[in-house]
Amino acid sequence: MAKSYLDSSYSYAIKINNKKLIISSLSNYGYYYMQFENDFKKGADTYEKIKKISKMI
């Protein structure tokens, strides 16, 4: 259930092209992957995406 909310939030952020909201959504994804799926590699990759997007702002 939580994953579907994250998907919706991220999709909306992409749709309106709001970089700060995209970063926030990705941050939530990273936390989700690390805490609930125990997929630390995917979580770390998500945080790397955030770093790249942050440089573009």
Side-chain angles (χ1 to χ4, degrees):
M1 181 92 172
K3 181 85 164 63
S4 65
Y5 288 116
L6 292 174
D7 292 338
S8 297
S9 172
Y10 183 67
S11 295
Y12 180 71
I14 296 278
K15 182 179 178 180
I16 65 171
N17 197 26
N18 185 327
K19 287 188 177 34
K20 290 182 181 182
L21 188 55
I22 292 170
I23 289 170
S24 176
S25 298
L26 285 173
S27 177
N28 290 334
Y29 265 125
Y31 180 81
Y32 172 82
Y33 289 133
M34 289 185 180
Q35 292 297 316
F36 299 106
E37 292 191 6
N38 292 324
D39 189 347
F40 297 104
K41 171 75 172 119
K42 203 167 190 179
D45 290 344
T46 303
Y47 286 120
E48 288 298 318
K49 284 182 189 176
I50 292 170
K51 287 170 56 175
K52 289 178 185 175
I53 293 171
S54 294
K55 291 179 182 177
M56 292 190 283
I57 293 179

